[in-house]
Amino acid sequence: MARDLTIAVCQTGPIQKSAQRAETVDRLVALLERAAAAGAEIAVFPELALTTFFPRWRIDDQAE
């Protein structure tokens, strides 16, 4: 039996180095709520949605 499924693909945009975890999670929750309001049954986020995966700054202090 065929079944329709509505999936939302959530594009998060860049996360700044100075961003707090709570700020990032709030952005993800807002996207999730927007997807649900549009009728999505499943929302998909990038694999590294909570990280600044691609470094855009040089880190000289290895302890950091």
Side-chain angles (χ1 to χ4, degrees), residues 28-63:
L28 298 179
V29 169
L31 287 170
L32 186 58
E33 290 172 341
R34 184 174 168 188
E41 299 171 76
I42 296 175
V44 180
F45 290 88
E47 179 178 10
L48 298 169
L50 292 173
T51 69
T52 57
F53 179 65
F54 295 106
R56 293 175 297 282
W57 51 85
R58 183 180 172 99
I59 299 175
D60 293 319
D61 180 5
Q62 292 300 314

Side-chain angles (χ1 to χ4, degrees), residues 4-22:
D4 289 334
L5 181 65
T6 304
I7 300 173
V9 179
C10 302
Q11 179 64 24
T12 61
I15 298 172
Q16 301 304 316
K17 184 178 180 182
S18 61
Q20 298 295 315
R21 177 61 58 102

